[in-house]
Amino acid sequence: MVNLEVLRKDMAALLETDKLITAVEIRADSIDEALADASVQFDTKVTNLEYEILERGFDGFMGLAKKPWLLKVYQNPDTIVSAAKKKAGVAGVAGEEEEEEKIVSKNGMFYIHHFGEKIYLKVVLPEGLGTPVDVEEVLSDLKRPDTKSFDEAKVKAAVKSGTNDEYVEIGVYDHVQSNNAIFVVDIAKDEMNATATITAPGIGGADVTAEEIKTALQKQGVVAGISDEKIQNLIDSPVYDMPVVVAEAILPVNGRDAYIAYNFQTDKSKLKATISNSGQIDFKELNQIQNVVAGQPLAQKMPAEKGRSGKTVFGRYLEATNGKDMEIPLGENVKVDTDGRTVIAAVNGQVLLVNGKITVEPVIEYPNGINIKTGNVSFLGTVIVKGNVDDGFDVTASGNIEVSGTVGSCKIQADGDIIVSQGVIGRDAGVIICGGSLWAKFIQNTTVQSEQNVIVSDSIMNSNISAQKKILLRGKRAQITGGELFATEVIAAKNIGSDGGGSETVLSVGYDPKAKKRLEELLDMQNGNLKELDDVELNITALENMRKTRRSLPKEKEENLRVLLEKKTALTDENDKFNEEITQIQAHLRELKNVGKIHASGTVYAGVKIFVRDEKDEVKTDVKSVTFYYEDGFVRRGKYEEPNVEDVKGPDGYSSN
C-alpha cells in the first residue's frame, strides 16, 4: 500500500537523483544538432538525454526565415543514477548498464482509495524492464478491518491488464462518515496559485475525490489555471497536512524582440577546414571565404512578437510586454528585398558581419600573401595579394587577381584580368587561366591560357602560352626563349630564341588556338573511333559469314552479334558528330580575316620555328629586325614594323606597380 512512509522514501530517492541532474540550454538549427551538442557536453549518448523545447525553430523556405531551436537538455535520471553507481564501484553484468541506459524502465504502480461507500483500485502497468504489480500485495492491502467485501477476480484482472489510468470499483467497506478526510483550499494573496491541504481519513473514512477539490476551487472563484494533473497526482498519492498547489495563474508571456536570422556563419572562428574521409584536415582548404552571388538572400529580419497576456486564478488580467522592433543592419553592397525584411547581396563577393552590419565585399585582400595560413582561395570577386602566392596554393576568382609579388607552382584562374607584378615561376607545373588579359614581369615554365592578351615586360622562358588576341613583350629584354606560343593576332618581342640553340622555340599566329586545339582533339578521337569501328565491322562480318554457313548461330554468338551491331550504330553516329564539328572548325580557321604577324625588333635566332596560318618558316640563320607574315600561301619576311597595340588597355582600376 502507498502510505506516508513509502512516499517519504520515494521522495527522498527522487531528491537525491534531482541533485545529480544538471541542464544546459542549447540553440541549434535542429533538435538532432542540439542533442548531439548536449551529448558531447554531458559525455553521454543521445539516447540518455531528455529535453524541453523553450523556443521552436523553423527551417525556413529556401533558406529564408530560418529560426534556430532553443532546447533545455538534461540527462535521464535513471542513467544518472546508473553512472553514479558505476563511478562508486557498484559492479554489474557486462553490458547491463548500457542496456539500462537504452531502455526507460518504470515499475508498475497501484492505488487503493475509498470514495463514498465504495472501494476503488487503479493499476498502472510497468514499462520496459519494470517490475509488475504484485497481486498478493494488492489483496493484502485490501484486507483492512473496515473492508466488507471485494471482487478478487476483478482485482486480478485489473492487475494483469491495468485500468487505463482510471479508478475501477472493486468492493465496499464500512463507511464511517465522521472519519472522512478533510481538506481546505487556500488562495494566495497575489492570486498566483491555489493550494489544497488534506487531513488523512480515519478507519472507515472516505478519501477526497478530484471532483470535490475542483468544486471547492470553483466555489472560491478560481476560474483559471486549474490543473487536472496536479489534482489527480494529489488524489493518487495524497500528501497529508501540507499545502499542495492545485491551480496556478496563467503567466503572461512577453513578446520576443525582433532579431536577424542569418543565412551565413557570423562567427568566423567556426569556419572549418575541409576534413577528408580518413579524418585528415586539408590545410589548403581552410574555407575562410563565404561566397555569395548578387540577389542571394543573406539574412531575414524576424519581426517582434506581441506578448500574450496571462490570468490570475481568479481570472484577473496579467499584462505582457510586446517585443521591441529593430532596424535591419545594412552594410555596403547589400539591399532589402521587396518583402521589406530579407537582406540580399547587391554584388558578387564574400559576405561578412562588419561592425554588426551585413556587408558584401567584392574585393578581398591578403596582406601577407597566399600560403599555409590562408589555404587555397576561391572568391566571387576580385582578389588582391600583397605578397607572393606560394607553391602548391591555388587562387580562383570571378573578378580580377592582382599579385604584388611572385606566383609559384600554382593554379591561378580568373574570369577577369590577372596582374603579377614580380612574375611567374611555374616549375613546369604552374597553370594560369585568364578570362581577360594577363600582365606579368616574366613567365617561366608555366602553362598560360588567356581569352585576350598576354603582356610581359621582361621575358617568357620555356612556357606554353595561348592567347586569343596578342602576346606582347614590351620591356628592355623582351625575350622569348623556349616553349610554344600561340596567338590569333600578334606575337611581338625584341629577341626570339637563343644564341647557340637550346630549348625549342615555336611561335604560331593567324588562327584560333582554342579552335586548333579542339580540332586536334577531334582528329585524335576520330582516329580512335575509326579503328574501333573497323574492328567491330570485322567481327560482324565473321559472325554473319558463320551464320550463312551454319544457317543459325548459337544463342551466345547471336547475342554478341546484336551487341556488335548496336555498337556499330553508336560508333557511326559518333563519327558523324566528329565530322560535323571538324568541318565547322576547319571552316572557321579558313575564314579568319586576321592572318597574324610575328614581330621581332631585335634578333630571331636560328632554330626558331614560325607558323603563320599553318605555314611553316624554320629560321636557319639569325634574322634581325623582322616581321613574319602570310602571303600567297607562304610565310614571308619583311622589315620590322611596330605592332598595332591600340586595342590593348590596362586593367581598369588596378595597377601592377
Side-chain angles (χ1 to χ4, degrees):
M1 180 177 179
V2 180
N3 53 36
L4 186 59
E5 187 60 28
V6 172
L7 186 61
R8 283 175 179 167
K9 289 181 180 179
D10 290 345
M11 291 184 69
L14 184 60
L15 180 61
E16 289 301 315
T17 301
D18 287 344
K19 288 179 180 178
L20 298 173
I21 296 175
T22 56
V24 292
E25 290 188 6
I26 294 178
R27 195 179 296 273
D29 290 338
S30 68
I31 293 178
D32 289 342
E33 285 186 19
L35 292 177
D37 190 350
S39 69
V40 174
Q41 296 190 42
F42 284 120
D43 192 21
T44 188
K45 299 179 180 179
V46 172
T47 53
N48 297 338
L49 300 177
E50 297 180 358
Y51 63 90
E52 299 173 15
I53 298 175
L54 302 181
E55 289 183 17
R56 299 189 68 83
F58 178 54
D59 290 335
F61 178 71
M62 296 182 68
L64 301 178
K66 193 172 183 179
K67 177 186 173 185
W69 292 75
L70 179 61
L71 269 61
K72 183 176 182 181
V73 186
Y74 50 91
Q75 197 171 347
N76 183 294
D78 292 339
T79 63
I80 292 178
V81 172
S82 176
K85 288 181 179 178
K86 186 177 180 181
K87 188 174 181 181
V90 178
V93 179
E96 181 179 326
E97 286 147 347
E98 183 179 350
E99 188 66 25
E100 286 179 355
E101 289 177 357
K102 291 181 180 178
I103 302 174
V104 178
S105 299
K106 293 183 180 179
N107 293 336
M109 299 287 290
F110 72 93
Y111 308 93
I112 298 173
H113 286 294
H114 299 69
F115 299 138
E117 306 289 334
K118 306 292 178 64
I119 304 173
Y120 290 82
L121 172 65
K122 176 179 175 181
V123 177
V124 179
L125 296 176
E127 295 182 18
L129 302 177
T131 304
V133 172
D134 184 353
V135 68
E136 295 301 327
E137 186 179 354
V138 177
L139 294 173
S140 176
D141 286 355
L142 283 170
K143 294 174 182 178
R144 290 188 355 178
D146 57 349
T147 301
K148 285 184 177 180
S149 63
F150 59 86
D151 188 335
E152 186 171 336
K154 200 170 185 180
V155 171
K156 290 180 178 179
V159 170
K160 181 179 180 181
S161 305
T163 60
N164 295 322
D165 207 32
E166 296 178 353
Y167 282 93
V168 296
E169 179 187 336
I170 58 168
V172 293
Y173 70 106
D174 288 324
H175 183 203
V176 180
Q177 194 167 3
S178 60
N179 286 343
N180 285 353
I182 301 171
F183 75 96
V184 293
V185 170
D186 293 311
I187 312 299
K189 290 182 179 180
D190 59 4
E191 304 178 14
M192 298 304 289
N193 65 52
T195 61
T197 305
I198 302 175
T199 301
I203 293 295
D207 294 300
V208 176
T209 65
E211 288 71 23
E212 288 173 337
I213 293 177
K214 291 178 184 178
T215 301
L217 288 170
Q218 291 168 0
K219 285 182 177 179
Q220 293 208 38
V222 176
V223 295
I226 297 175
S227 173
D228 291 338
E229 182 181 359
K230 292 181 185 301
I231 293 173
Q232 191 59 56
N233 288 339
L234 180 59
I235 298 304
D236 289 343
S237 304
V239 178
Y240 297 123
D241 302 321
M242 290 179 61
V244 176
V245 174
V246 290
E248 291 182 288
I250 300 171
L251 297 176
V253 178
N254 292 333
R256 187 200 63 217
D257 293 342
Y259 69 94
I260 302 297
Y262 297 96
N263 297 339
F264 61 95
Q265 180 55 258
T266 58
D267 184 354
K268 292 193 70 174
S269 66
K270 293 184 178 180
L271 295 172
K272 298 179 181 178
T274 299
I275 300 177
S276 67
N277 292 333
S278 62
Q280 292 182 328
I281 296 176
D282 185 351
F283 288 102
K284 288 185 179 181
E285 298 295 339
L286 299 180
N287 300 324
Q288 295 297 304
I289 299 173
Q290 298 183 85
N291 285 305
V292 295
V293 297
Q296 180 175 333
L298 307 177
Q300 188 173 49
K301 173 186 171 182
M302 308 307 293
E305 292 182 349
K306 290 184 177 181
R308 296 196 299 274
S309 60
K311 291 180 180 180
T312 70
V313 293
F314 285 158
R316 302 187 202 278
Y317 178 78
L318 294 173
E319 187 176 2
T321 303
N322 292 330
K324 296 178 181 179
D325 197 9
M326 67 176 296
E327 295 291 330
I328 298 177
L330 296 179
E332 296 183 358
N333 301 313
V334 297
K335 59 184 179 180
V336 179
D337 206 354
T338 53
D339 63 1
R341 294 168 50 200
T342 304
V343 181
I344 60 175
V347 297
N348 294 350
Q350 68 166 331
V351 60
L352 300 165
L353 206 59
V354 180
N355 296 324
K357 294 184 177 180
I358 304 166
T359 303
V360 174
E361 295 281 3
V363 177
I364 187 170
E365 184 172 311
Y366 290 89
N368 300 310
I370 303 297
N371 46 50
I372 190 68
K373 293 182 179 179
T374 63
N376 295 335
V377 173
S378 180
F379 183 59
L380 290 178
T382 291
V383 177
I384 298 178
V385 182
K386 299 291 186 180
N388 303 327
V389 180
D390 289 355
D391 290 344
F393 291 92
D394 302 336
V395 182
T396 304
S398 65
N400 296 347
I401 296 175
E402 180 175 359
V403 182
S404 63
T406 60
V407 170
S409 176
C410 316
K411 182 176 181 180
I412 308 296
Q413 184 169 358
D415 292 346
D417 298 323
I418 297 176
I419 307 100
V420 184
S421 298
Q422 298 302 318
V424 183
I425 308 171
R427 296 183 177 85
D428 295 326
V431 176
I432 294 180
I433 301 173
C434 185
S437 294
L438 167 65
W439 279 261
K441 185 175 182 180
F442 62 84
I443 301 174
Q444 294 179 6
N445 303 90
T446 303
T447 299
V448 176
Q449 298 175 22
S450 173
E451 292 299 313
Q452 295 185 24
N453 306 304
V454 175
I455 299 95
V456 177
S457 60
D458 194 344
S459 64
I460 296 176
M461 296 180 61
N462 300 319
S463 297
N464 295 326
I465 312 290
S466 172
Q468 290 297 105
K469 291 187 177 180
K470 297 178 174 67
I471 298 175
L472 303 174
L473 286 81
R474 307 168 74 177
K476 291 182 180 180
R477 289 185 59 192
Q479 176 84 27
I480 298 174
T481 307
E484 296 186 18
L485 279 68
F486 301 84
T488 301
E489 299 176 7
V490 169
I491 297 177
K494 183 177 180 180
N495 300 313
I496 301 173
S498 59
D499 189 9
S503 301
E504 184 179 55
T505 304
V506 181
L507 274 61
S508 303
V509 293
Y511 62 88
D512 183 340
K514 289 177 68 176
K516 185 174 181 181
K517 183 178 180 181
R518 176 59 179 167
L519 179 61
E520 292 172 351
E521 291 173 350
L522 287 168
L523 290 172
D524 286 342
M525 288 189 291
Q526 188 181 54
N527 286 335
N529 175 285
L530 291 173
K531 287 180 182 178
E532 189 175 2
L533 187 58
D534 287 342
D535 292 340
V536 169
E537 288 178 336
L538 283 173
N539 290 328
I540 289 174
T541 301
L543 288 171
E544 288 179 339
N545 289 337
M546 185 184 298
R547 184 164 59 183
K548 288 178 182 177
T549 303
R550 299 182 178 182
R551 296 184 180 180
S552 65
L553 288 173
K555 186 175 181 181
E556 182 180 347
K557 293 189 179 297
E558 192 71 49
E559 177 63 19
N560 288 342
L561 179 60
R562 184 189 66 78
V563 171
L564 287 170
L565 289 170
E566 289 180 355
K567 193 168 187 179
K568 178 183 176 180
T569 301
L571 289 170
T572 303
D573 292 344
E574 188 177 31
N575 191 55
D576 291 342
K577 292 178 181 177
F578 287 155
N579 283 330
E580 183 179 353
E581 190 174 354
I582 288 169
T583 302
Q584 291 174 352
I585 292 175
Q586 289 174 335
H588 165 67
L589 293 175
R590 285 194 300 269
E591 292 170 1
L592 279 175
K593 295 180 180 179
N594 193 325
V595 295
K597 292 183 178 181
I598 296 174
H599 306 266
S601 62
T603 302
V604 179
Y605 293 99
V608 173
K609 295 177 182 178
I610 302 293
F611 290 86
V612 183
R613 290 199 67 181
D614 283 336
E615 297 301 325
K616 180 180 178 182
D617 182 0
E618 186 168 355
V619 179
K620 302 295 185 181
T621 59
D622 296 354
V623 183
K624 295 183 180 294
S625 189
V626 64
T627 294
F628 297 87
Y629 61 94
Y630 179 87
E631 185 179 79
D632 298 330
F634 295 95
V635 178
R636 306 291 186 183
R637 302 180 185 180
K639 292 182 179 180
Y640 173 76
E641 59 186 50
E642 286 289 335
N644 181 8
V645 294
E646 292 180 357
D647 60 337
V648 179
K649 298 179 181 179
D652 294 337
Y654 296 91
S655 170
S656 59
N657 293 332

